[in-house]
Amino acid sequence: MYTFEEVVESSKKYFGGDELAANVFATKYALVSKDGSFLEKNPNDMHKRIASEFARIESNYPNPMSESEIYSLLEGFKYVVPQGSPMSGIGNTNQIQSLSNCFVVEAPQDSYGGILKTDQEQVQIMKRRGGVGFDISSIRPQGLSTSNAAKTTDGIGIFMERFSNSCREVAQGGRRGALMLTISVHHPDIETFVNIKRDLTKVTGANISIRLSDEFMEAVEEKKEFELRYPVSGEENKLVSRTTDASKLWDQIIESAHTSAEPGLLFWDNVLKYTPAQAYSDVGFDTVSTNPCSEITLSAYDSCRLLLLNLTSFVEKPFTKQSRFNYELFDKNTKKAQRLMDDLIDLEMEC
């Protein structure tokens, strides 16, 4: 076992004197016992732990990669770099945490019970180190009637604050959770969504993005009105249907993005048209939202597991006229990395 100071000092030597890198490893990725003692002295110990676990899974399949072969990919962060949760969680029996980095959950059902269920789901995922994204287009707009004592709804704003505050409450070992809230541009409360973060005290625990439609973008281009509706799908039995000036809303979006760097924009019809995973929508895996950093759109209760290839390691004779990218080595190690990503799913199922 090691002290924090010992881990930082050893890791500092490992990183060639980089104190920031050493502190990041010690505080986020080094294996720690339940009593707080450090079980790994530097990233080399972490890579041995990860290689051992990957090799264990590999042994279940034909032509398994050996532990030493896997370690050679990880050593010194040279070729394959698992990201965040995999580095922290693989082989970690001292904490209950996910190996997936981020999740998408289903949109809240339009009731207090449904909203609280989603709030509970995001908290349970976040306390296990995962980020969360979900769409709130399902929540009815302000002013619609309810059957309870409230009589009418407050709209999306108050629930955006709820989800944001829950995210800010959940500690993840020195950092907070990550949350993405998305909404359809056709939702009647879209202006609330667009402008809410101009008040810099509002929704400080979430990223927000709008699911734009071709219908809306064409209306902007042609300077026409477009429909705000609820439900947003455009099917029959609409509880709300009215039109508004698309160009004016577009101006608000741009002004808000300039003022507070949000909302982000998701060109949703393009997402559904070009995302390969949408091929599985007919069997219940419809793409519904995005993870907090918006690299990937997912169906409800799917997750992303992150791993990267260090491209600089495939460059031979860098910064010279003779430099070249070794495509043969890249091809070979890309296939190995993808195999490790498949193994990571097995490890996640165990967790």
Side-chain angles (χ1 to χ4, degrees), residues 170-182:
V170 181
Q172 294 183 343
R175 66 174 195 170
R176 297 293 164 180
L179 174 63
M180 169 67 81
L181 302 176
T182 63

Side-chain angles (χ1 to χ4, degrees), residues 88-343:
S88 173
I90 291 176
N92 185 348
T93 59
N94 299 317
Q95 290 178 320
I96 299 174
Q97 68 173 68
S98 169
L99 304 186
S100 292
N101 298 77
C102 290
F103 296 75
V104 164
V105 300
E106 69 181 358
Q109 297 296 310
D110 183 38
S111 67
Y112 242 119
I115 288 164
L116 293 176
K117 174 177 177 286
T118 300
D119 198 32
Q120 168 78 320
E121 287 177 340
Q122 77 164 42
V123 165
Q124 292 298 335
I125 290 170
M126 287 172 179
K127 77 176 190 177
R128 291 166 174 83
R129 209 181 188 280
V132 181
F134 55 91
D135 190 70
I136 61 171
S137 303
S138 55
I139 299 176
R140 75 187 76 175
Q142 186 175 19
L144 283 187
S145 62
T146 65
S147 299
N148 58 31
K151 295 186 179 180
T152 59
T153 60
D154 290 324
I156 63 167
I158 192 169
F159 297 116
M160 292 176 72
E161 284 283 86
R162 165 183 282 279
F163 297 134
S164 168
N165 290 337
S166 292
C167 181
R168 293 178 67 248
E169 288 169 7
V170 181
Q172 294 183 343
R175 66 174 195 170
R176 297 293 164 180
L179 174 63
M180 169 67 81
L181 302 176
T182 63
I183 198 170
S184 168
V185 72
H186 295 280
H187 194 282
D189 281 354
I190 185 62
E191 288 192 41
T192 298
F193 190 91
V194 167
N195 294 303
I196 197 166
K197 296 189 85 169
R198 292 201 197 194
D199 181 340
L200 299 182
T201 67
K202 297 285 188 181
V203 194
T204 57
N207 300 329
I208 64 171
S209 290
I210 303 170
R211 298 186 347 182
L212 300 176
S213 67
D214 289 348
E215 178 185 344
F216 169 73
M217 294 307 300
E218 288 165 5
V220 172
E221 191 172 47
E222 297 170 8
K223 294 181 169 44
K224 292 182 178 179
E225 294 200 335
F226 80 110
E227 185 184 34
L228 300 179
R229 53 188 179 246
Y230 182 83
V232 300
S233 61
E235 298 170 358
E236 296 180 359
N237 303 318
K238 298 175 191 173
L239 299 177
V240 176
S241 177
R242 65 176 185 270
T243 60
T244 191
D245 189 310
S247 296
K248 288 183 179 178
L249 178 60
W250 178 251
D251 288 343
Q252 287 187 55
I253 292 170
I254 300 307
E255 288 165 7
S256 291
H258 185 269
T259 300
S260 56
E262 291 192 274
L265 303 179
L266 301 167
F267 294 89
W268 201 249
D269 285 334
N270 284 346
V271 167
L272 299 183
K273 190 184 302 180
Y274 296 116
T275 301
Q278 193 61 9
Y280 300 100
S281 62
D282 291 342
V283 289
F285 298 102
D286 197 42
T287 303
V288 295
S289 192
T290 176
N291 68 325
C293 297
S294 202
E295 306 106 324
I296 185 170
T297 54
L298 297 167
S299 60
Y301 305 111
D302 199 357
S303 65
C304 60
R305 293 155 297 279
L306 301 182
L307 174 151
L308 65 79
L309 291 164
N310 183 358
L311 297 183
T312 62
S313 295
F314 299 98
V315 179
E316 298 175 350
K317 299 180 180 179
F319 305 109
T320 70
K321 291 182 178 180
Q322 292 76 41
S323 65
R324 68 177 290 269
F325 189 85
N326 190 332
Y327 285 100
E328 297 79 14
L329 184 61
F330 179 66
D331 175 75
K332 179 181 175 182
N333 285 351
T334 297
K335 290 169 182 173
K336 291 180 180 180
Q338 184 57 60
R339 182 153 185 159
L340 294 179
M341 287 296 284
D342 292 343
D343 295 337

